Amino acid sequence: MNKNAVYEELKKNPKNIHFNRLCSAAELFGFRFRGGKGSHRIYAREGIREALNFQNVGGWAKPYQVRQLLKIIDKYNLLKEEDDA
């Protein structure tokens, strides 16, 4: 999966992102699932203070949570990192 393509997909329309797609995107950028309860999933990454808390609402991600991931990607220059593949 190409980080640039995923980033552009999230940025293009944050209101129309499936919950599972958002979780996959977080993992692509190095975040690891750390647990959660009910419809919530928490992701964290070593070296990043902020944790991501995503909520599944009928299979969709909340737009502000998509924007939150995008903000962290920009803040920590995660697009500049080499792809693991």
Side-chain angles (χ1 to χ4, degrees):
M1 212 182 303
N2 182 329
K3 287 182 179 182
N4 287 318
V6 171
Y7 178 82
E8 289 303 321
E9 175 189 351
L10 297 175
K11 192 173 180 179
K12 182 178 176 182
N13 192 1
K15 294 181 180 180
N16 193 24
I17 301 296
H18 284 277
F19 177 75
N20 290 334
R21 182 68 169 153
L22 181 61
C23 293
S24 296
E27 291 174 3
L28 177 66
F29 283 96
F31 288 86
R32 302 285 176 242
F33 176 64
R34 295 292 180 223
K37 280 189 168 184
S39 63
H40 293 266
R41 297 192 78 175
I42 298 172
Y43 287 85
R45 179 180 160 149
E46 192 172 316
I48 295 182
R49 301 183 95 174
E50 297 93 336
L52 298 168
N53 184 357
F54 300 147
Q55 184 178 2
N56 187 345
V57 181
W60 297 95
K62 290 191 169 191
Y64 82 89
Q65 293 168 343
V66 175
R67 289 189 297 270
Q68 196 174 45
L69 174 59
L70 292 170
K71 183 177 177 183
I72 289 174
I73 290 169
D74 291 338
K75 180 177 179 180
Y76 292 95
N77 292 318
L78 300 182
L79 269 178
K80 304 281 187 225
E81 291 181 339
E82 300 227 0
D83 287 324
D84 294 336

